[in-house]
Amino acid sequence: MKKHSALTGKKIGFIGVGNMGCALVNGLLRTKKVAGRNLILSDVAGEKLASFARLGAVVTLENKTVARDADILILAVKPQQMTSVFAEIVKELNKKTLIISIAAGVTTATIEKGLGRVAVVRSMPNMPALIGSGITAVAKGSRATDADIRTAREIFGAAGEVIIVEEKMMDAVTALSGSGPAYLCYFYECMIDAGLNLGFTMEKARELSHATILGTVRFLDQMKEVPEHLRRKVTSPGGTTEAAVTFLQENGFMNTFVSAVMKAKERAEELSRK
């Protein structure tokens, strides 16, 4: 028996088709969760819309049109643009429309205040959603239901994994998984720099670092390993790995990293209060 979809027959509107908006639209089309004719897209840059028009989506430069016609409205604009979008669409919006926001730092209370008595789901996807391998945290506002969360979960499931959290944890999500790809890329940079210091060319340093990171992540995934267990397997007593790991531990690597993520959370909290 075919599983019922919360998206069947629904018109899904996107205000903003930047990187994350595009990731979601492409994911919905790729997984065939939504037909192109049931997508209504607007963006200030008309050229971004052309490719989606060729796939059958309804495209417009008018945010009001999207707000008026959508059953589910995804706000995929920058946080600083939200207030102007509220003013533009509030009179056109059907109050039964489910609002889903991907704007970092914008609370459901802020959206409810800007758009009236509407159901709101707040989300925080991350960059790998662009290739369908992201993870998105979703949290419901005061008027959203469990059914609304299931709907959001199906939408974001087109771009990767989905986790449900309480809204009070969204700043922590931003700090851990939202910013997480940058942390891993920075570690990748550090590995390359170490390779250069060891005498490798840039090409070889990148090749060795890239294959090591990619292979380790794949190994953890396929073998269902806990990172600590794999680390201990690689770390032979008295060996080279132990020398490096001990140095990192003695110099507070983990505490420094955890403190850095906490700084990201503090900054997310500051932005949420603005």
Side-chain angles (χ1 to χ4, degrees), residues 250-271:
E250 290 177 348
N251 284 273
F253 179 82
M254 183 174 288
N255 287 339
T256 298
F257 181 79
V258 171
S259 296
V261 176
M262 294 302 295
K263 284 291 184 182
K265 178 178 180 289
E266 290 170 11
R267 181 57 179 156
E269 291 170 342
E270 290 173 1
L271 293 173

Side-chain angles (χ1 to χ4, degrees), residues 191-209:
M191 283 193 70
I192 292 171
D193 195 53
L196 294 174
N197 277 275
L198 289 167
F200 291 107
T201 64
M202 176 63 78
E203 181 183 4
K204 292 296 183 184
R206 282 178 173 168
E207 185 177 359
L208 285 164
S209 300

